[in-house]
Amino acid sequence: MTGKERILTVLNRATPDRVPTMEWVFSPKVIRQMCGSESDLDFVEAFDLDGVAVGLDSKNQPFDDRHIVDEWGVKRVTYDEYPNPVNTRIADESDLEGYEMPDPDAEYRFDKIKAAIKRFGDERCVVARVRDAVSQPRDLMGYENFLCGLHVEPEVVQNLMKMSVDYSMRICENLVDIGVEVIVIGDDLATNLGLLMSPAMFRQQILPEFSRLVAHAKKLGLKVIKHSDGDLRLILQDLLDTGIDCLDPIDERGNMFMKELRATYGNTIALKGNIDCVETLVNKTPQDVRREVARCILEGGLHGGLILSSSNSIHSGISPENYKTMLEAAKELGNYPLDVELLKTTAEMV
């Protein structure tokens, strides 16, 4: 199988020839140490990952040596792999009057995605990153203001979520036209301690717009992976009922356990994760990494339905040796039919 075939097979809840692997974000520092290039595409090819996540292009304007302003008018810090917003663009209803969103049909917006498709063809799965109902309103309002707005300015939040979803729906249509088959939608709805809002507030205010985006993507024929860190248990069934194909990253630090999810939902949902990127991939031994890979495959991928990855991203603190060990272990231990005894021995579960 090709990498693309493996990932699509998993998203169809079937069994590929081996457990595929991919990541959402790579630190340029780590991939430079591993392959001498800061290009995600170079790294994915050099280490034979099955897929690559690619974002949309934006004509950003430099602000100073540490910041840029994106097309939405959001100032972002640029000193690490996450261009985090540092200003508030929308404070109240009056700021929405006359606000113009970027053009979702601009041809340059899809340049990186087109380049990835041209380079990898059907060999690797190009997964497009699309913003969901929360991501853009959160960045435009600021995280705290967005969460407070769910209580004190629900109409502003609702309008922003509708704008964001309308925009992302058009983006999805364009992605299908250029050959994309899989999208990942984010962002976080929880911390490790629990949801960022009450379950009732999520269901009343966020879920309808989130569901509208997923339904549109599915109608277009796209496979949909939902990413959110944190403890999602109180709204997990709500997310699954929208029709998403895969949930990521199944992080034990957020009380999300691969074994429990697989036992509860079987292969009705594909799972992505979950090699710990806080300690295991940072400062534990290669043998610890192998143990965790084996346990993850046993708990989440016995009958397919698993994309192996870190528990969030390959950030700048990741040990190149440990990440290389993870990739090697995935290929050694993840071939179907699985050698269950070898996996148990490696995971020290016997």
Side-chain angles (χ1 to χ4, degrees):
M1 280 186 171
T2 65
K4 181 177 179 179
E5 288 171 336
R6 289 186 190 101
I7 287 179
L8 289 175
T9 298
V10 166
L11 296 178
N12 284 316
R13 273 71 101 194
T15 305
D17 61 340
R18 73 165 187 251
V19 176
T21 185
M22 67 170 295
E23 298 290 338
W24 299 142
V25 178
F26 293 99
S27 161
K29 169 189 170 185
V30 173
I31 62 176
R32 183 175 62 248
Q33 290 175 313
M34 293 180 70
C35 77
S37 170
E38 293 188 358
S39 163
D40 291 7
L41 303 188
D42 288 348
F43 179 82
V44 165
E45 184 167 18
F47 282 85
D48 193 26
L49 274 71
D50 296 286
V52 60
V54 185
L56 301 172
D57 287 276
S58 174
K59 288 188 175 180
N60 302 321
Q61 299 297 319
F63 185 84
D64 56 31
D65 60 351
R66 296 182 63 244
H67 300 87
I68 56 93
V69 178
D70 69 17
E71 289 182 279
W72 296 78
V74 177
K75 185 193 297 182
R76 296 179 180 276
V77 67
T78 59
Y79 63 80
D80 63 10
E81 56 263 30
Y82 295 98
N84 292 307
V86 295
N87 74 322
T88 299
R89 180 64 181 80
I90 303 294
D92 53 40
E93 192 74 39
S94 65
D95 290 330
L96 288 174
E97 298 177 7
Y99 178 75
E100 293 186 12
M101 296 188 300
D103 181 4
D105 299 325
E107 290 191 11
Y108 65 82
R109 197 163 312 290
F110 306 95
D111 284 350
K112 287 188 294 189
I113 296 172
K114 289 178 181 178
I117 292 173
K118 181 178 180 180
R119 178 166 179 172
F120 294 135
D122 288 329
E123 286 300 309
R124 305 180 204 282
C125 189
V126 176
V127 180
R129 289 198 286 262
V130 176
R131 312 213 89 186
D132 71 7
V134 170
S135 301
Q136 203 62 56
R138 174 204 66 194
D139 285 359
L140 287 167
M141 297 183 71
Y143 223 139
E144 290 183 7
N145 292 338
F146 170 74
L147 293 174
C148 290
L150 292 170
H151 294 269
V152 300
E153 293 184 298
E155 289 187 5
V156 175
V157 173
Q158 287 297 313
N159 286 336
L160 278 173
M161 285 194 292
K162 183 181 185 304
M163 285 171 49
S164 180
V165 167
D166 287 345
Y167 184 87
S168 291
M169 287 168 63
R170 181 60 184 158
I171 289 292
C172 287
E173 292 166 7
N174 288 323
L175 290 172
V176 169
D177 288 344
I178 64 175
V180 170
E181 296 181 52
V182 184
I183 63 171
V184 55
I185 55 176
D187 217 314
D188 299 337
L189 298 168
T191 71
N192 290 348
L193 299 178
L195 295 174
L196 292 168
M197 69 292 295
S198 71
M201 185 167 286
F202 169 78
R203 293 178 184 122
Q204 180 180 359
Q205 295 183 249
I206 296 174
L207 184 60
E209 289 298 324
F210 179 84
S211 299
R212 190 164 68 92
L213 175 57
V214 175
H216 189 69
K218 299 292 290 182
K219 184 178 179 180
L220 293 169
L222 290 165
K223 295 294 184 183
V224 180
I225 302 172
K226 168 58 185 168
H227 165 84
S228 174
D229 293 342
D231 188 346
L232 300 172
R233 289 175 296 172
L234 292 179
I235 59 168
L236 184 54
Q237 190 61 58
D238 299 284
L239 292 173
L240 301 187
D241 287 345
T242 66
I244 60 172
D245 297 287
C246 180
L247 186 66
D248 161 84
I250 323 300
D251 189 356
E252 291 189 3
R253 292 179 181 272
N255 295 305
M256 300 282 286
F257 296 95
M258 189 76 71
K259 186 176 182 179
E260 291 181 5
L261 289 180
R262 187 58 79 204
T264 302
Y265 298 102
N267 264 24
T268 61
I269 183 75
L271 303 174
K272 179 178 171 294
N274 176 54
I275 309 304
D276 176 52
C277 69
V278 177
E279 293 185 59
T280 302
L281 291 175
V282 174
N283 54 26
K284 289 195 175 182
T285 68
Q287 187 59 38
D288 290 327
V289 175
R290 283 178 53 81
R291 279 195 289 268
E292 197 158 323
V293 168
R295 182 171 64 85
C296 185
I297 294 173
L298 276 171
E299 294 181 350
L302 275 181
H303 305 290
L306 173 69
I307 300 172
L308 189 81
S309 72
S310 70
S311 59
N312 183 278
S313 63
I314 305 305
H315 56 77
S316 59
I318 295 290
S319 159
E321 179 185 9
N322 282 3
Y323 184 46
K324 183 179 179 182
T325 298
M326 177 190 129
L327 295 176
E328 291 172 344
K331 287 186 177 180
E332 175 193 349
L333 302 171
N335 293 291
Y336 290 98
L338 297 175
D339 186 334
V340 175
E341 291 307 313
L342 175 61
L343 285 166
K344 288 181 177 179
T345 300
T346 305
E348 297 184 354
M349 296 175 67
V350 294

